Amino acid sequence: MAFRGPKVWLWRWRRNPLKRRADTVEAWVLLGAWALTVLVGVLAGWATSRSVEQGLARERTEWRPVAGRLTERAPGKPAARPGAASGDQVWAKVGWTGPDGSTHTGQIRVSPGSAAGTGVTVWTDRQGRLVTRPATAAQARLRASLVGGLAGVGAATLPYAGGRVLRGRLERRRVEQWDADWARFDALWGRHAG
């Protein structure tokens, strides 16, 4: 392991009589690896974010609310007061008519104890299949940003890791060169290792 002294910023770019060609190569490799890491991360994050936001926008335009009715009573007891906490919901069977006139059934979340025949709004795709309520524009932006950020960080790890591996190899090679040069100087000065 090479001796590590105090950290000197940008030492690879400064003039120094002890600086070797390997130091300059390492400096350019590090600069290239960092630039590639940032570029890949930003481009992957941007592309993913854009794709997610377009997909969610397409859902907003294609998915439609449809009137449905509960086909059976929802489990549980009705809330003491109407409109209580919306987190207190249970799964219940619902039926609706698709755009082609066919009848469909599925399960949605409703208030506990809702009576059979209660009118509910269900969201369907173009084929009349049950889907979740589409994300609003603000929710879509937030989701796209989060997914894009994760994708960008994930994609940036590849060039970052490659740069770290290459830097480790260059550093080992530089240390081996220093060892060989010191052995040559020791022979010139009449010293022997051991």
Side-chain angles (χ1 to χ4, degrees), residues 53-119:
E53 197 160 1
Q54 286 175 347
L56 293 173
R58 187 172 42 255
E59 288 176 1
R60 278 194 307 277
T61 60
E62 293 177 0
W63 293 358
R64 296 281 172 234
V66 175
R69 298 226 173 261
L70 293 182
T71 58
E72 57 189 37
R73 185 178 182 280
K77 294 183 179 180
R81 54 191 166 100
S86 62
D88 297 337
Q89 293 192 329
V90 295
W91 289 101
K93 199 173 210 180
V94 64
W96 70 93
T97 303
D100 60 354
S102 61
T103 57
H104 299 273
T105 60
Q107 296 228 344
I108 64 167
R109 302 207 23 115
V110 295
S111 300
S114 297
T118 302

